[in-house]
């Protein structure tokens, strides 16, 4: 087995983050659970959003968890990849739009 800093088995220990701060940990998990309940968005839609965000923030634990969750909620591989591409487009655009700041600085320094 390849050794990496990321240990997939640690995902199973997520609930233990309350061990060092039970009160705040419980509040987080209550909030987290509420966020993923059915609402204006379906649980399936929320799972796809979570999968896309997981890729944007590059969290391997979240990618594993929401890959499994989206599959369990009936999402196809095509839908999952499309969600990742949406996240990629937004992340790329967010980086590119900041080039305006660089362009403004160049203009100011060139005066």
């Amino acid at each position: 087995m390849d050794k990496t800093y990321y240990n997939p088995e640690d995902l199973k220990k997520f609930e233990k983050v309350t061990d060092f701060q039970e009160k705040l940990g419980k509040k987080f998990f209550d909030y987290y659970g509420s966020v993923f309940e059915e609402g204006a968005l379906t649980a399936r839609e929320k799972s796809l959003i979570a999968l896309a965000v997981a890729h944007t923030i590059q969290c391997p634990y979240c990618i594993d968890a929401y890959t499994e969750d989206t599959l369990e909620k009936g999402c196809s591989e095509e839908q999952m990849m499309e969600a990742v591409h949406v996240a990629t487009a937004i992340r790329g655009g967010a980086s590119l739009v900041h080039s305006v700041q660089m362009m403004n600085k160049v203009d100011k320094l060139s005066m």
Side-chain angles (χ1 to χ4, degrees):
M1 180 177 168
D2 291 337
K3 296 271 185 185
T4 65
Y5 185 76
Y6 160 70
N7 181 354
E9 293 301 311
D10 285 345
L11 182 56
K12 297 174 187 170
K13 300 175 186 173
F14 186 32
E15 64 190 29
K16 293 194 169 287
V17 299
T18 61
D19 288 356
F20 286 9
Q21 184 27 284
E22 186 175 357
K23 182 179 175 185
L24 293 177
K26 183 178 177 342
K27 286 181 181 205
F28 171 78
F29 283 115
D30 287 346
Y31 170 76
Y32 192 90
S34 295
V35 165
F36 285 94
E37 291 174 358
E38 293 275 337
L41 297 171
T42 67
R44 184 179 176 281
E45 291 168 329
K46 290 178 180 187
S47 186
L48 278 170
I49 292 168
L51 180 65
V53 171
H55 281 80
T56 303
I57 64 169
Q58 298 175 325
C59 173
Y61 300 104
C62 300
I63 291 169
D64 283 0
Y66 286 100
T67 296
E68 187 172 334
D69 195 58
T70 53
L71 286 171
E72 288 174 356
K73 287 183 170 56
C75 295
S76 69
E77 293 169 357
E78 184 179 18
Q79 292 168 324
M80 294 162 64
M81 187 57 79
E82 192 168 318
V84 171
H85 277 283
V86 169
T88 301
I90 296 300
R91 182 63 197 126
S95 294
L96 193 56
V97 75
H98 281 84
S99 68
V100 173
Q101 181 175 344
M102 176 266 304
M103 293 164 65
N104 289 340
K105 185 70 173 181
V106 167
D107 288 344
K108 183 177 177 182
L109 293 173
S110 298
M111 296 177 118

